[in-house]
Amino acid sequence: MKEAMMVAWEDLCLYNNESFLLPLFLLALIVLWIVERDRRIRTVLLYLSVALVAVFFCPLYAWIGQKMDEEIYYRVYWTLPIGLLFCYGGVRLLIRMKKTVSRILVGILIVLVICMNGKFVYKNTLHFNASNAYHIPQMVIDVADAVSMEKYKPIAVFPAELLPFLRQYTGDIFTPYGRNIIVERWNFSNALFDAMEAEVYDAEEIAVQARNEHCAFVVLSSAKEMRGSMEEQNYFLKDFVAGYYIYMDYNYYNVYLEQGLLDEDMLKFAK
């Protein structure tokens, strides 16, 4: 448990980083504990905050939480009402002041302190202007639209780089695996994923594994080379969108055709 408490302390330091939000949080907590008399507010802001901190630093909880998932354990911090407590404490402080000048100066100081604890988000190198309302790469939307069907929800396999964003856009396409497979610590494995993420595509292997996973569509990146061709495996090229080839299995195509599930623009591919 000693090691668990050391990890908890490291998480605390990393959470605070170079700011002084946590000291301000503790300061506001102490001040409100003294001056706040409303029981409802004390329960929501004070008692709850103290309970969450106590739970986080409870040796038994820390040990169990880190055994279950160390990377999620620290997220208990996210439940702390740090911003709310600090802002409410600042307002209570301003209310107790009688002079207008004092209120203005202290109010400006509070705002400056809050600003000093953050960074201008638009200077972040990871920030970029959104290209659509979903705030995801446009290529994901284009590829998903090319795969989607109006009368049916097909199963399709996508390259790993599209997986984190696909479900943010649509739930009308099923996949044999999701974003979880690219997280190494979860130790998921899948033969189709291995074939899709190989340095060189093997058309035969992809076709076999895609059929094992009941995939009607296979989306492949044009940036990779391929041994063989999907056409030789009884697939046809439905579309080429945003650098991705979208292949459909003729076996599923014929089934959908018989059942009247195909969109009008797909009927042209009938043999």
Side-chain angles (χ1 to χ4, degrees):
M1 288 191 180
K2 181 180 179 181
E3 183 179 350
M5 295 307 298
M6 291 178 61
V7 171
W9 176 253
E10 291 175 1
D11 286 343
L12 176 69
C13 295
L14 290 173
Y15 184 82
N16 191 61
N17 201 8
E18 298 176 354
S19 71
F20 41 93
L21 277 178
L22 287 180
L24 289 174
F25 167 72
L26 293 175
L27 178 62
L29 188 64
I30 294 172
V31 171
L32 288 175
W33 197 280
I34 297 172
V35 303
E36 183 58 57
R37 293 292 176 261
D38 191 312
R39 290 184 178 180
R40 294 171 298 178
I41 295 177
R42 289 180 69 88
T43 300
V44 173
L45 290 183
L46 304 182
Y47 301 151
L48 178 61
S49 298
V50 172
L52 288 172
V53 173
V55 166
F56 187 84
F57 283 102
C58 172
L60 180 59
Y61 174 81
W63 182 77
I64 294 175
Q66 292 172 28
K67 285 293 183 181
M68 293 179 63
D69 197 324
E70 185 175 329
E71 293 188 16
I72 294 180
Y73 165 73
Y74 80 95
R75 295 180 186 177
V76 173
Y77 278 130
W78 295 359
T79 61
L80 290 175
I82 294 178
L84 181 61
L85 191 70
F86 180 66
C87 291
Y88 180 75
V91 171
R92 285 301 308 269
L93 179 63
L94 294 176
I95 292 175
R96 294 174 66 88
M97 294 182 175
K98 297 181 180 180
K99 294 184 179 180
T100 303
V101 175
S102 299
R103 290 182 177 179
I104 294 174
L105 293 176
V106 173
I108 293 174
L109 179 62
I110 291 174
V111 172
L112 290 176
V113 168
I114 294 175
C115 293
M116 289 172 60
N117 279 275
K119 295 180 179 179
F120 191 55
V121 64
Y122 298 111
K123 288 185 177 181
N124 193 315
T125 56
L126 298 177
H127 172 81
F128 57 90
N129 293 327
S131 57
N132 52 69
Y134 298 92
H135 293 255
I136 61 177
Q138 184 62 40
M139 63 182 182
V140 178
I141 296 176
D142 295 338
V143 171
D145 287 343
V147 172
S148 297
M149 297 172 60
E150 293 181 5
K151 303 176 184 179
Y152 189 74
K153 295 182 179 181
I155 302 177
V157 60
F158 297 84
E161 65 268 20
L162 303 183
L163 292 176
F165 309 102
L166 177 67
R167 198 56 69 227
Q168 297 179 49
Y169 175 62
T170 180
D172 292 335
I173 303 173
F174 294 112
T175 57
Y177 48 78
R179 183 187 67 86
N180 52 1
I181 202 166
I182 62 179
V183 181
E184 293 183 2
R185 62 185 175 82
W186 288 344
N187 297 321
F188 287 109
S189 61
N190 183 282
L192 176 55
F193 176 79
D194 294 339
M196 290 288 293
E197 297 309 308
E199 292 185 6
V200 177
Y201 289 134
D202 185 323
E204 182 177 1
E205 178 66 13
I206 290 175
V208 169
Q209 298 303 333
R211 285 174 178 139
N212 287 341
E213 298 288 352
H214 311 291
C215 296
F217 292 95
V218 174
V219 179
L220 301 177
S221 172
S222 61
K224 288 187 179 182
E225 296 181 3
M226 182 186 298
R227 287 195 296 270
S229 71
M230 296 302 289
E231 287 80 3
E232 293 174 351
Q233 306 303 320
N234 202 31
Y235 282 77
F236 67 89
L237 181 62
K238 177 184 179 293
D239 211 340
F240 177 73
V241 178
Y244 292 90
Y245 295 109
I246 300 174
Y247 291 98
M248 186 173 187
D249 189 339
Y250 259 121
N251 297 326
Y252 285 96
Y253 181 90
N254 293 329
V255 172
Y256 295 162
L257 181 62
E258 292 176 1
Q259 296 179 356
L261 299 175
L262 294 177
D263 299 343
E264 290 295 328
D265 63 336
M266 295 178 64
L267 297 177
K268 64 183 179 180
F269 296 105
K271 290 184 177 180

